[in-house]
Amino acid sequence: MPNCIFCKIVHGEIPSVKVYEDARVFAFEDINPISIGHTLIIPKSHAENIWEISEEDLAAIHVASKKIAQAIRKALDPTGVAVLQLNGRGVNQMVMHYHLHLIPRTANSPEISMTQWNIVPGDMALIRKTGEKIAAAMR
Ligand code: 5GP
Ligand code: ZN
């Protein structure tokens, strides 16, 4: 899909901190993380939301979410991981390419709000380091 930022990430036209990839799925670190380790899982094939995505891609994303959540647990030892997926402007979907958020919370870090948060650019060095840690834990 032209001008879709996540399609560009899948095709390597925009850089990303990749943590996982398979035939249907691509996963990378969010550049405005709600918490450290905030990871997005997307279908390689463009679909806007839960109404458009194929069942095969949806299943692949959820299978991948389990693998990546296991890697996040191994890499970051969180107290919990929130799984969030927004569909439509009404719930503040900002990037119109389906994505599942994995949002870990570590000990003594703030509560995680679910459909609205401030966009604050993260520390890219820390994001990169965390992505590498999760990607390594995938092996
Ligand atoms: P949502 O559409 O569910 O509200 O969230 C979109 C998410 O994509 C946000 O958390 C935002 O930080 C993230 N995001 C937007 N543009 C980029 C980008 O270019 N690279 C990465 N890694 N994340 C992005
Ligand atoms: Zn797209």
Side-chain angles (χ1 to χ4, degrees), residues 66-78 81 104 134 137:
K66 184 171 172 74
K67 291 181 190 161
I68 297 164
Q70 276 164 338
I72 287 173
R73 187 159 67 175
K74 197 167 143 192
L76 305 179
D77 191 26
V81 177
I134 297 170

Side-chain angles (χ1 to χ4, degrees), residues 1 4-8 43-47 96-98:
M1 180 67 58
C4 171
I5 197 159
F6 284 180
C7 283
K8 287 183 180 167
K44 287 184 168 175
S45 169
H46 182 89
M96 304 319 262
H97 178 130
Y98 183 101

Side-chain angles (χ1 to χ4, degrees), residues 1 4 6-11 21-26 41-49 52-58 60-61 96-99:
M1 180 67 58
C4 171
F6 284 180
C7 283
K8 287 183 180 167
I9 284 177
V10 169
H11 297 126
E21 180 177 12
D22 63 31
R24 289 185 178 272
V25 168
F26 193 90
I41 313 176
I42 65 174
K44 287 184 168 175
S45 169
H46 182 89
E48 190 165 310
N49 52 39
E52 280 190 7
I53 192 170
S54 71
E55 290 185 358
E56 291 79 8
D57 280 352
L58 193 60
I61 281 172
M96 304 319 262
H97 178 130
Y98 183 101
H99 50 282

Side-chain angles (χ1 to χ4, degrees), residues 5-6 9 14-17 28-34 38 40 84-86 91-97 99 101 115 117 119:
I5 197 159
F6 284 180
I9 284 177
I14 290 178
S16 68
V17 179
F28 55 101
E29 295 302 280
D30 196 305
I31 49 165
N32 309 294
I34 295 175
H38 183 170
L40 301 174
L84 172 68
Q85 196 270 312
L86 304 176
V91 291
N92 301 320
Q93 182 180 3
M94 290 187 306
V95 177
M96 304 319 262
H97 178 130
H99 50 282
H101 297 258
T115 63
W117 54 82
I119 295 293

